[in-house]
Amino acid sequence: MRTEEFEELVRDAVIEHADRAPDPEATVRRVLRVRRRRPVLVAASALVVVTLVVGALAWRAAGGARTSVDLAAPPGRGWAVSWGLAWLPSGFVEDNRSVTVDGRTVSRNWVSGEARLSLRVSVVDGTETDHVEPGSDDQVDVNGRPGLRDGDDTRAKVVWFHDATTRFEVLASHLERPRDVVVRVARSVVPQPQDPLVVAAEFGTLPAGAGPVALGVGRTSAGPSTFLTAVLPGDGFLDVELTPAKPDLDGERVLVLGVPGTYSKEKGTLTVPANGRWLEVYAEGEISLPDLVAVAETVRIAPADARWAE
Amino acid sequence: MAFEEFLAERLAPLLRYATTLTCDPHQAQDIVQDVLLRAQQRWTEIARLDLPSAYVKRMVTNEFLSWRRRRWTRDVSVPHGVMVDLVAASADPTTAVDDRAVLLAGIARLPRKQRAAIVLRYYDNRTDAEIADELRCSEGTVRSHISRAVDRLRADLAAGACREEVR
């Protein structure tokens, strides 16, 4: 193919991506809605910071300074991790294991750069087998069981039922030929008993309208971390992580239970030393700094212990 | 120019630009929203610049390049229908393997800096020097990003053509 022809094709492709841009009206509404709230948020943020600083000064005058938050932890709970993959594309490493708060779906997630693979095993009530209908648009065979494949050249997934109450889902994104890969990965799913996923963590205070979604253990450069995820009103989410990996500490100084932490507005992340590790509260969505501080001060969480993530 | 006037004039092009960078309208909307919320806080200062729109556009580029990966690796909460919705928004269900579809997917798989360089070159028609300024790197690095991206996209096209022949 000649260079001019190739360049024209690339131009057409990026313009086609641009044509999928979202409706500006929705963004205008979201931006202006947050703007109107901002004076209140700023005032509230300032009030919390002042209160915390005054409180910390009084506390220091009465005793000493602390450098790490001591967070309590609930008893650890365990969930079986019974399935694995006999085949993975080269370069993938397991990044995290998680379970939904109702305990019904256990996920294992592997990454390679931006590429991602997930295996989700869910306990269902038996009526959901209707999702996989014979003759549907992209039915695939998963070791003798009918599976339904969705996807394109960027993301794909296969869903099938092992039995009436066990639903499997394999997802692949940002890798070569995900529609092919996802089927090969699905066919490689095998019983593979692992150490149970044990997590000792639960949210305390959450912003109004928010709800916990999942908890799990992740791999970091310094060892395993514990994390919790919640959804926020308006399509946002909140992620709390207790990690041994020292994070970036840029940002304004904020006190959490009297301990100096940092808040980066750019990154939407509140960070404070806790339990000999680092507590990070990260949010995308409409959440104020006081709400982030409240989440950090009330979360109950213990360091993770997972050999696979070491 | 008031911030509201800027929104009225420039929001649609910004969203289109962010969508070419992210290849994902949802992520584009999040990025543009975050950037605008920061921009409006300093709007008095930004409005005095010769080209406020260029400044905000650079903020979008920077936001895209620094976007956290966590959301993609830990989205354990993705509802059942989300993948289907994403596919519906971005796929041509009748496609076999044509060059346009191959390139659409190939661009989405490029590493972020290569993708940004491709978008700035072929969507914004920028020179190497202008791209280097936007990405804060040397012109040599820009040429390297574009060269690698082009090689990958050409390889994708070649692979697509092979698959088509097999069919």
Side-chain angles (χ1 to χ4, degrees):
Chain A
M1 182 183 293
R2 288 181 301 115
T3 299
E4 296 78 11
E5 192 181 350
F6 172 78
E7 292 188 330
E8 197 56 39
L9 270 176
V10 174
R11 282 196 180 87
D12 289 346
V14 290
I15 288 169
E16 187 161 338
H17 274 305
D19 288 343
R20 293 172 180 154
D23 176 15
E25 282 304 311
T27 305
V28 169
R29 283 196 300 273
R30 291 167 74 180
V31 171
L32 296 183
R33 189 171 67 230
V34 175
R35 281 187 76 202
R36 280 195 291 274
R37 291 181 187 174
R38 189 164 299 280
V40 176
L41 293 182
V42 169
S45 302
L47 180 61
V48 165
V49 171
V50 167
T51 303
L52 291 172
V53 169
V54 169
L57 289 174
W59 178 80
R60 284 182 185 182
R66 288 191 302 156
T67 57
S68 178
V69 172
D70 296 319
L71 295 170
R77 295 175 60 198
W79 292 268
V81 180
S82 308
W83 298 87
L85 304 179
W87 179 82
L88 271 172
S90 64
F92 277 79
V93 294
E94 191 161 7
D95 182 74
N96 66 82
R97 296 177 180 180
S98 64
V99 59
T100 50
V101 289
D102 61 9
R104 294 169 73 94
T105 299
V106 172
S107 299
R108 298 180 66 183
N109 299 284
W110 294 262
V111 298
S112 174
E114 300 257 336
R116 180 187 148 205
L117 278 168
S118 298
L119 168 64
R120 297 175 184 167
V121 185
S122 303
V123 177
V124 294
D125 62 13
T127 61
E128 297 185 37
T129 49
D130 290 341
H131 283 308
V132 183
E133 296 172 357
S136 55
D137 58 351
D138 200 352
Q139 193 173 340
V140 294
D141 178 89
V142 183
N143 302 326
R145 294 181 172 84
L148 184 64
R149 175 173 61 179
D150 279 322
D152 57 16
D153 284 340
T154 303
R155 301 174 170 90
K157 71 172 182 178
V158 170
V159 179
W160 75 101
F161 288 83
H162 180 70
D163 53 43
T165 58
T166 311
R167 177 181 184 270
F168 283 87
E169 189 172 359
V170 168
L171 303 96
S173 64
H174 298 88
L175 42 66
E176 299 280 342
R177 301 198 306 280
R179 287 172 59 83
D180 298 336
V181 170
V182 81
V183 173
R184 184 169 176 188
V185 171
R187 289 172 179 161
S188 84
V189 172
V190 290
Q192 197 180 79
Q194 306 273 306
D195 290 339
L197 169 63
V198 177
V199 189
E202 64 186 18
F203 283 109
T205 301
L206 278 174
V213 173
L215 62 166
V217 171
R219 181 198 300 274
T220 78
S221 58
S225 68
T226 307
F227 67 87
L228 285 161
T229 301
V231 290
L232 299 172
D235 203 26
F237 76 96
L238 178 71
D239 202 0
V240 173
E241 182 172 19
L242 186 65
T243 173
K246 186 176 181 180
D248 186 349
L249 296 174
D250 289 343
E252 66 180 276
R253 188 170 179 273
V254 175
L255 292 177
V256 177
L257 294 173
V259 173
T262 55
Y263 171 62
S264 167
K265 195 168 192 174
E266 289 270 316
K267 298 174 184 168
T269 305
L270 173 67
T271 306
V272 66
N275 297 10
R277 288 169 168 71
W278 299 91
L279 184 74
E280 285 191 285
V281 182
Y282 169 68
E284 288 188 15
E286 294 180 20
I287 181 169
S288 65
L289 176 56
D291 280 344
L292 283 180
V293 172
V295 169
E297 292 188 328
T298 58
V299 68
R300 301 172 73 217
I301 191 166
D305 180 12
R307 282 179 298 178
W308 67 267
E310 290 173 352
Chain B
M1 175 188 283
F3 183 70
E4 286 76 6
E5 290 176 287
F6 176 82
L7 284 183
E9 278 186 23
R10 302 304 306 169
L11 179 55
L14 272 181
L15 285 167
R16 287 176 63 82
Y17 174 63
T19 307
T20 62
L21 288 175
T22 60
C23 303
D24 180 338
H26 303 284
Q27 191 186 4
Q29 187 171 36
D30 287 346
I31 284 177
V32 170
Q33 179 183 316
D34 288 353
V35 163
L36 289 175
L37 286 171
R38 289 206 305 278
Q40 66 89 19
Q41 288 180 282
R42 298 192 292 121
W43 189 248
T44 308
E45 174 191 337
I46 293 172
R48 285 198 206 105
L49 299 172
D50 289 340
L51 292 170
S53 59
Y55 184 87
V56 176
K57 193 169 188 175
R58 177 172 291 192
M59 291 175 72
V60 169
T61 306
N62 292 339
E63 186 76 7
F64 163 69
L65 293 174
S66 64
W67 191 252
R68 289 176 70 113
R69 197 188 64 153
R70 184 176 297 185
R71 181 164 205 170
W72 303 93
T73 58
R74 295 235 177 110
D75 58 345
V76 290
S77 61
V78 172
H80 183 62
V82 167
M83 289 285 288
V84 177
D85 293 344
L86 289 171
V87 170
S90 60
D92 176 354
T94 63
T95 191
V97 179
D98 65 21
D99 291 345
R100 179 186 52 80
V102 168
L103 281 179
L104 278 172
I107 291 168
R109 282 196 302 268
L110 290 174
R112 289 185 203 187
K113 286 204 170 174
Q114 288 183 22
R115 201 188 316 162
I118 285 287
V119 167
L120 289 165
R121 164 61 50 80
Y122 293 106
Y123 181 73
D124 252 19
N125 297 314
R126 307 264 196 108
T127 65
D128 286 351
E130 290 168 337
I131 297 171
D133 185 49
E134 184 82 10
L135 299 182
R136 295 179 186 176
C137 62
S138 69
E139 290 183 46
T141 302
V142 169
R143 284 191 285 274
S144 171
H145 284 326
I146 291 177
S147 171
R148 289 181 184 178
V150 165
D151 287 348
R152 286 182 66 155
L153 294 175
R154 279 189 175 279
D156 287 345
L157 282 176
C162 288
R163 286 200 296 275
E164 183 74 347
E165 283 173 15
V166 170
R167 292 181 186 207

